[in-house]
């Protein structure tokens, strides 16, 4: 007669509903939370100290008349009203918008053309990509020092070459009609490499099946570029448009090193205007107000691009 197997029994899990178990569970969770905050707290303190607190302090400062030395006084919206009537601020806004309108499309177009040219199997293609990207790594201050020597009206290499070619010497950064355009050209020398790399990475993700299908249907290079490549690059183009616009609106280093807003205010951009008001003219409250005008403009631009991106994603879906 066969024996009946002994049934397997599982141990009953502990009852978490009992008061002792609930207290133990709470203590364990509290200990885990304390340990987590121990590791996170240095980063939180740095963020609060270097980001959140200065933002709140500068916002309050924009409603005060303050020279950072003597006691300040509350003036309400007077700083913002003064900005609306300040011709120097209007000139800074005009210069910034003109700089952005010239630099952003040009950098994207040139970057796309370079990416298309270097997205092929050619000899030394890695070297060419590196050479075009290296200027982006150079800091704006170093670029300013370099081109200040090259474009010096009297001793610079640029006018020496023009003289050799029989072209009259140019004022470059010392000419009010040329200075802003020269800054745009310097920025293109460095910023185009970033656009090239981003577009080059995006071109690697263009489906080869679509390109091959278009080629089998008789499409030429321009037709493939227009109907296959550019629509695929649209999300990347939106990102670059937003990124380059924000970078252009915040340009400062290049202006500070080369022209310091001159000549005759022709290269004074918003961020340089903010620095000049806050630290050169000792009107910190006025500078903070102009900084928040810029922050509001950047936030509005970001919101517009976010809406455009969602619409593009909806259309693609």
């Amino acid at each position: 007669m066969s024996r009946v197997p002994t049934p397997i029994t599982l141990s009953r899990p502990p009852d978490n509903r009992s008061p002792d178990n609930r207290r133990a569970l709470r203590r364990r969770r509290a200990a885990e939370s304390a340990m987590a905050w121990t590791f996170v707290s240095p980063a939180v303190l740095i963020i609060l100290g270097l980001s959140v607190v200065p933002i709140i302090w500068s916002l309050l400062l924009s409603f005060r008349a303050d020279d950072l030395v003597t006691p300040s006084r509350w003036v309400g919206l007077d700083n913002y009203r003064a900005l609306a009537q300040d011709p120097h601020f209007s000139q800074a806004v005009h210069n910034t918008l003109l700089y952005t309108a010239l630099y952003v499309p040009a950098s994207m177009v040139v970057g796309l053309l370079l990416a298309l040219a270097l997205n092929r199997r050619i000899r030394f293609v890695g070297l060419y990509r590196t050479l075009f990207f290296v200027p982006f790594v150079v800091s704006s201050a170093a670029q300013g020092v370099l081109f200040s020597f090259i474009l010096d009206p009297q001793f610079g290499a640029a006018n020496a070459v023009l003289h050799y070619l029989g072209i009259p010497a140019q004022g470059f950064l010392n000419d009010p009609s040329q200075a802003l355009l020269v800054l745009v050209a310097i920025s293109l020398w460095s910023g185009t490499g970033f656009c090239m790399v981003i577009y080059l990475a995006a071109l690697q993700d263009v489906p080869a099946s679509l390109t091959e299908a278009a080629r089998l249907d008789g499409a030429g290079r321009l037709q493939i570029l227009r109907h296959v490549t550019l629509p695929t690059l649209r999300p990347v183009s939106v990102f670059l448009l937003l990124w380059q616009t924000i970078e252009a609106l915040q340009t400062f280093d290049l202006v500070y090193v080369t022209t310091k807003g001159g000549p005759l205010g022709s290269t004074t951009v918003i961020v340089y205007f903010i620095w000049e008001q806050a630290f050169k003219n000792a009107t910190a409250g006025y500078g903070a107000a102009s900084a928040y005008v810029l922050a509001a403009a950047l936030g509005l631009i970001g919101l517009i691009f976010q809406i455009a991106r969602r619409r593009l994603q909806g259309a693609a879906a």
Side-chain angles (χ1 to χ4, degrees), residues 9-315:
T9 58
L10 300 176
S11 60
R12 186 176 181 181
D15 186 9
N16 291 331
R17 292 175 296 178
S18 63
D20 294 338
N21 289 334
R22 285 200 299 267
R23 283 194 294 269
L25 182 60
R26 283 197 296 267
R27 285 196 297 269
R28 185 168 64 251
R29 289 178 176 175
E32 292 176 353
S33 299
M35 181 63 67
W37 277 107
T38 301
F39 288 107
V40 173
S41 57
V44 173
L45 292 176
I46 291 174
I47 293 174
L48 290 175
L50 299 180
S51 298
V52 178
V53 173
I55 288 174
I56 298 175
W57 179 75
S58 61
L59 177 61
L60 297 176
L61 186 64
S62 67
F63 299 106
R64 308 182 71 87
D66 194 337
D67 59 1
L68 299 178
V69 178
T70 60
S72 62
R73 59 184 177 86
W74 184 267
V75 295
L77 296 176
D78 289 352
N79 288 328
Y80 293 93
R81 296 191 186 99
L83 281 174
Q85 302 174 358
D86 189 346
H88 299 290
F89 180 71
S90 301
Q91 185 183 21
V93 171
H94 174 268
N95 293 336
T96 306
L97 293 178
L98 180 59
Y99 174 87
T100 303
L102 294 175
Y103 167 68
V104 175
S107 64
M108 294 178 61
V109 171
V110 177
L112 177 59
L113 294 177
L114 289 175
L116 291 172
L118 297 177
N119 190 37
R120 295 182 296 172
R121 295 181 179 179
I122 57 178
R123 194 176 183 183
F124 303 123
V125 64
L127 176 62
Y128 299 146
R129 292 174 180 177
T130 303
L131 290 177
F132 281 113
F133 181 72
V134 163
F136 175 73
V137 183
V138 181
S139 67
S140 298
Q143 296 171 31
V145 173
L146 173 64
F147 281 96
S148 294
F149 284 107
I150 295 176
L151 301 176
D152 186 89
Q154 296 182 352
F155 308 105
N159 272 333
V161 174
L162 294 179
H163 178 73
Y164 178 79
L165 297 176
I167 301 175
Q170 303 296 317
F172 295 119
L173 295 173
N174 292 338
D175 188 340
S177 63
Q178 299 179 4
L180 189 64
L181 298 178
V182 172
L183 291 182
V184 172
I186 297 174
S187 301
L188 285 176
W189 176 77
S190 61
T192 301
F194 175 76
C195 296
M196 181 202 70
V197 170
I198 299 299
Y199 273 128
L200 195 58
L203 288 173
Q204 307 294 325
D205 294 333
V206 175
S209 57
L210 294 178
T211 305
E212 190 65 26
R215 188 177 292 108
L216 291 176
D217 290 338
R221 290 185 178 181
L222 292 179
Q223 292 174 322
I224 293 175
L225 175 64
R226 178 182 177 184
H227 298 288
V228 178
T229 305
L230 292 182
T232 308
L233 299 179
R234 190 175 301 166
V236 176
S237 298
V238 173
F239 161 75
L240 280 177
L241 184 61
L242 174 60
W243 180 273
Q244 294 293 85
T245 300
I246 293 176
E247 288 292 318
L249 292 176
Q250 296 183 104
T251 185
F252 170 77
D253 298 355
L254 187 61
V255 175
Y256 180 81
V257 174
T258 54
T259 64
K260 289 185 169 50
L264 302 178
S266 59
T267 60
T268 299
V269 292
I270 293 181
V271 178
Y272 186 83
F273 177 85
I274 295 170
W275 173 86
E276 192 175 38
Q277 296 302 319
F279 300 104
K280 189 176 180 180
N281 298 340
T283 53
Y286 194 61
S290 55
Y292 267 90
V293 171
L294 175 61
L298 292 175
L300 180 60
I301 292 173
L303 179 61
I304 293 173
F305 278 101
Q306 183 72 9
I307 295 174
R309 187 179 65 86
R310 290 181 179 179
R311 289 185 177 181
L312 287 176
Q313 291 178 346

